Amino acid sequence: MITSKQRAYLRSLANSIDTILMVGKGGMSGEIIKQADDALTARELIKGKVLETAPVSSREAAEEIAQAVRADVVQVIGAKFVLYRRNEKEPQIILPKAK
């Protein structure tokens, strides 16, 4: 679980990254979960978008993906969402210490 300070830090990092995960009219599939898992392993922080044709909301998609890949939902704004999962072997993002 990440603290609000850590969440704010991750949000600031997410501003500059590109959206790499798209949830479309096919909804949540195993392919989307696999893509998210692979991307989180490589990058730790990813941004996704739920298209208008998708049968799920951006909050539902973010929660479902996060639960499936054991990640944290950093934020959901409009159609976009940001997910974070620490890479235990080679961490790239150093979070501020929790009190």
Side-chain angles (χ1 to χ4, degrees):
M1 192 69 194
I2 56 177
T3 66
S4 60
K5 192 174 199 174
Q6 292 168 335
R7 190 177 305 278
Y9 176 71
L10 290 170
R11 278 199 309 264
S12 71
L13 292 178
N15 282 335
S16 60
I17 65 173
D18 293 327
T19 303
I20 60 167
L21 193 66
M22 300 281 189
V23 179
K25 66 181 177 186
M28 301 302 298
S29 65
E31 182 65 29
I32 296 284
I33 303 296
K34 170 112 174 69
Q35 261 186 324
D37 192 38
D38 293 345
L40 283 165
T41 300
R43 301 172 185 222
E44 292 186 322
L45 189 68
I46 62 169
K47 191 184 287 186
K49 181 176 183 179
V50 177
L51 304 176
E52 290 179 16
T53 57
V56 293
S57 72
S58 51
R59 171 65 65 185
E60 292 168 339
E63 295 287 346
E64 192 173 329
I65 293 169
Q67 186 176 12
V69 299
R70 298 177 324 279
D72 287 306
V73 177
V74 176
Q75 74 176 358
V76 178
I77 295 181
K80 294 191 177 187
F81 59 89
V82 177
L83 301 176
Y84 169 77
R85 182 179 71 200
R86 185 171 192 268
N87 184 336
E88 297 299 331
K89 293 180 184 166
E90 301 170 17
Q92 298 171 351
I93 298 173
I94 307 299
L95 292 176
K97 295 280 185 241
K99 290 184 178 178

